[in-house]
Amino acid sequence: MSQELCSSMEKAPHRALLKALGLTDEELEKPLVAIVSAKSEIVPGHAHLDRITDAVKAGVYAGGCTPVVIPSIGVCDGLAMGHAGMRYSLPSRELIADSVETMLLAHAFDGAVFVPNCDKVVPGMLMGAARVNIPSIFVSGGPMESGIFRGKKVGLSSMYEGIGKVNNGTMSRAELDELENVACPGCGSCCGMYTANSLNCLCEALGIALPGNGTALAVSGERIRLAKRAGTAICELVRDAVTPRMIMTKRAFVNALTLDMALGASTNTVLHLFAIADECNIKLDLDLVQQISDKTPTLCSLSPASDKDMEDLHLAGGVCAVLHELAKRNLIDGSVHTVHGCALADDYEHAHVKNTDVIRKIDDPISPVGGIAVLRGNLAEDGAVVKRSAVSASMLTFSGKAKCFNCEEDAVSAIYGGRIKEGDVIIIRYEGPSGGPGMREMLTPTAALVGMGMDEKVALVTDGRFSGATRGAAIGHVSPEAAEGGKLALVNDGDIVKIDIPNGRLTLDVPAKMLDARRKKLRPKDSNASGWLLRYQNLVTSATTGAVLKKKF
């Protein structure tokens, strides 16, 4: 593509502009590769990406192409959590995809190396890469090291849980202040199997990133070497004209979902894989998710479900070791091609599990089924999802009285105010993709419940979504959402809500005639959205389709 700018007399003005950047004639004769970097000074996961992009540039030069760094926005979900800013997190995914399309096509790049790290940046860039469909490879910024607090590993979720502990008197304010200074020790994506790390691991199974992408620490020399190799690899992909849609096939997405189940990854991955597949003209649905979950054993229990973190997973063999175990049961299609220039099986065939406390053998799984479950019933007619691997055995089936809230803030106030009792099912509605708008993450209320020791006594159901750092009986993505006519809008305080995760059921024990009567009196909540969020509200689709934007309107 770049030769359209560099090869004819008529494009002399274009070359003049490129030479203003300091590019030489020799550089302009080579393929032009974009390095799409989410570097910023507000996101801890992105603060070090200049080091990663410099390493990618070195690899691109070594591979015989010319690198040019271009920017991407990125929202830190941790900083956006628990206030109006979280409404912008999921919508930022669409802006990132649009900006990737804009920058790559407007400037006629021949290939791209994507350097993301955080929750919406990874899927947004993947969506953009699939849409533009020029040779592409991903190399993330890598996970953060865990903090150490009084001899125990801690991370960002520890802070939210700590607030609950202070509120119930099991931690002092001075201890919380001490924790605050050690929980996030440096750059990188937060240290557990949260959304960013989940997706960076899944990039390996999708074949769009090199082995180690999901687990090599942000601060390691290995991460820098990985970035250099990605820079060299993109040049081969450009020469061979290998594009993302040739890599990210339906079989690759099935592999990614299978790995997702084995890792016990974030429920957000379902939302994002659906959206990425949509850009590849591939349809995924919740029925497929459940089918894969039913036959895929959970092999890992990582933070927040345990004290094991991403570094532990890396040292235990990483993603390739997990894929190798799954392949023993023919659960992985090793014949799919990758950006490594080989079949996926070639990447994992020599990997092996180095620590069975972190990665269990396929014959000795943590659970015979996957880490994510799909629930259906009259309260979620189109489906809902739960991170089954982070739910205690005592909460897999649960029945309780509804306590209803029309926004996250009111629910958090009730939790900290002592108004939530054992046996309650907290309903948080009008937080879906359209109703929010923006489908906010609910780490604050779930972490508050954990910190106050109520995560095995109370369930939470919402049309919003949950951070990968969430644990407990937290059911999200309820569809249809309340703002779109879902029965979540009809629940009253005191109604009995029944949760049956093993059998995939989420039901409201209220007669249909009573619900019909309530619907006639219903006055939906007005979100008072404006600006970009108002446009997003009018264009976004259901969580069951990945909360993608309408293509025709």
Side-chain angles (χ1 to χ4, degrees):
M1 291 172 62
S2 66
Q3 291 310 300
E4 294 180 24
L5 305 183
C6 302
S7 62
S8 68
M9 181 187 71
E10 288 76 17
K11 294 300 189 291
H14 302 73
R15 292 194 295 276
L17 289 170
L18 292 170
K19 288 182 176 180
L21 301 173
L23 294 176
T24 65
D25 286 327
E26 292 77 14
E27 287 174 310
L28 294 179
E29 289 172 359
K30 298 174 181 177
L32 204 60
V33 171
I35 304 174
V36 188
S37 172
K39 159 73 177 178
S40 77
E41 295 185 353
I42 189 60
V43 183
H46 298 168
H48 66 305
L49 293 188
D50 49 353
R51 291 189 65 225
I52 307 297
T53 54
D54 284 346
V56 172
K57 286 174 72 174
V60 171
Y61 274 124
C65 295
T66 299
V68 179
V69 178
I70 61 174
S72 169
I73 66 167
V75 170
C76 175
D77 277 21
L79 291 173
M81 196 75 66
H83 61 93
M86 180 48 78
R87 300 196 191 285
Y88 288 89
S89 175
L90 184 58
S92 76
R93 185 187 73 180
E94 313 306 316
L95 294 178
I96 291 165
D98 288 349
S99 66
V100 165
E101 175 188 0
T102 300
M103 292 295 285
L104 295 186
L105 294 182
H107 301 109
F109 283 104
D110 298 294
V113 181
F114 292 88
V115 187
N117 215 28
C118 291
D119 292 26
K120 309 309 166 298
V121 187
V122 184
M125 286 187 180
L126 283 164
M127 291 165 67
R131 188 184 303 172
V132 175
N133 204 35
I134 63 172
S136 301
I137 191 171
F138 278 66
V139 55
S140 77
M144 184 186 293
E145 293 180 290
S146 289
I148 301 295
F149 177 69
R150 302 189 175 185
K152 294 184 178 181
K153 288 186 175 183
V154 292
L156 180 64
S157 59
S158 307
M159 289 305 309
Y160 287 95
E161 293 172 11
I163 296 169
K165 292 178 181 179
V166 172
N167 273 278
N168 77 352
T170 57
M171 176 181 276
S172 70
R173 180 58 193 272
E175 288 173 317
L176 184 66
D177 291 342
E178 181 184 343
L179 176 60
E180 178 183 324
N181 287 315
V182 299
C184 299
C187 59
S189 48
C190 295
C191 61
M193 187 50 75
Y194 309 154
T195 304
N197 291 327
S198 298
L199 283 161
N200 285 326
C201 287
L202 298 195
C203 282
E204 294 187 44
L206 279 172
I208 201 71
L210 298 176
N213 179 72
T215 57
L217 286 178
V219 296
S220 65
E222 185 175 359
R223 177 62 54 179
I224 299 300
R225 296 193 299 273
L226 182 68
K228 290 178 180 177
R229 289 196 295 271
T232 303
I234 188 61
C235 299
E236 292 295 327
L237 294 170
V238 169
R239 280 188 278 272
D240 294 339
V242 177
T243 62
R245 289 187 216 165
M246 295 167 68
I247 299 291
M248 295 193 293
T249 62
K250 179 70 173 285
R251 292 180 298 153
F253 279 101
V254 170
N255 282 342
L257 281 167
T258 302
L259 176 66
D260 197 6
M261 300 305 164
L263 291 174
S266 166
T267 52
N268 279 322
T269 56
V270 174
L271 195 72
H272 298 319
L273 284 175
F274 283 19
I276 299 159
D278 184 70
E279 294 290 352
C280 296
N281 299 316
I282 294 169
K283 180 174 175 53
L284 305 178
D285 58 36
L286 290 177
D287 289 337
L288 176 63
V289 172
Q290 190 60 58
Q291 289 168 18
I292 293 172
S293 184
D294 286 343
K295 66 180 182 180
T296 305
T298 302
L299 301 182
C300 301
S301 179
L302 302 164
S303 175
S306 76
D307 61 355
K308 298 175 181 66
D309 61 13
M310 296 305 296
E311 183 177 14
D312 293 322
L313 177 60
H314 186 67
L315 294 174
V319 167
C320 283
V322 179
L323 292 174
H324 191 131
E325 287 300 309
L326 293 169
K328 291 177 181 178
R329 290 268 184 91
N330 296 317
L331 296 172
I332 293 293
D333 184 343
S335 68
V336 298
H337 292 289
T338 77
V339 290
H340 211 181
C342 61
L344 182 63
D346 294 330
D347 281 337
Y348 65 67
E349 67 175 346
H350 298 298
H352 62 277
V353 175
K354 300 174 184 178
N355 185 343
T356 55
D357 288 336
V358 179
I359 303 172
R360 299 281 279 272
K361 293 285 191 175
I362 194 74
D363 294 326
D364 183 31
I366 293 167
S367 167
V369 293
I372 294 174
V374 175
L375 308 183
R376 296 185 188 274
N378 67 340
L379 197 52
E381 292 168 318
D382 292 342
V385 295
V386 61
K387 187 172 180 176
R388 175 167 45 191
S389 60
V391 181
S392 69
S394 64
M395 293 294 291
L396 290 173
T397 57
F398 186 81
S399 179
K401 293 182 178 180
K403 290 281 184 70
C404 301
F405 304 93
N406 289 344
C407 68
E408 177 190 5
E409 289 84 352
D410 289 350
V412 172
S413 178
I415 293 168
Y416 286 141
R419 300 196 301 276
I420 303 300
K421 307 299 181 185
E422 181 175 346
D424 285 344
V425 177
I426 301 169
I427 302 290
I428 305 179
R429 56 199 176 195
Y430 297 106
E431 292 284 12
S434 175
M439 202 178 183
R440 290 195 288 178
E441 286 186 342
M442 304 286 166
L443 178 57
T444 302
T446 56
L449 291 171
V450 172
M452 297 179 74
M454 300 182 69
D455 55 306
E456 296 188 13
K457 303 172 183 176
V458 172
L460 196 157
V461 177
T462 181
D463 50 10
R465 59 196 177 91
F466 293 108
S467 163
T470 290
R471 55 190 170 117
I475 297 163
H477 304 200
V478 171
S479 300
E481 60 175 292
E484 298 295 323
K487 288 189 173 65
L488 204 65
L490 305 179
V491 184
N492 284 351
D493 286 349
D495 287 348
I496 300 300
V497 175
K498 295 180 178 179
I499 299 165
D500 185 351
I501 295 174
N503 291 302
R505 302 296 296 168
L506 178 64
T507 54
L508 178 64
D509 193 11
V510 175
K513 286 185 178 180
M514 185 176 293
L515 292 176
D516 289 341
R518 290 180 186 179
R519 189 176 295 281
K520 292 176 182 177
K521 298 178 181 179
L522 181 66
R523 297 293 179 269
K525 178 188 174 186
D526 186 350
S527 69
N528 297 312
S530 62
W532 155 233
L533 289 184
L534 179 59
R535 280 180 281 144
Y536 180 84
Q537 183 176 57
N538 288 317
L539 292 174
V540 72
T541 61
S542 166
T544 59
T545 57
V548 297
L549 300 187
K550 298 172 185 174
K551 289 185 169 57
K552 295 182 180 180
F553 45 88

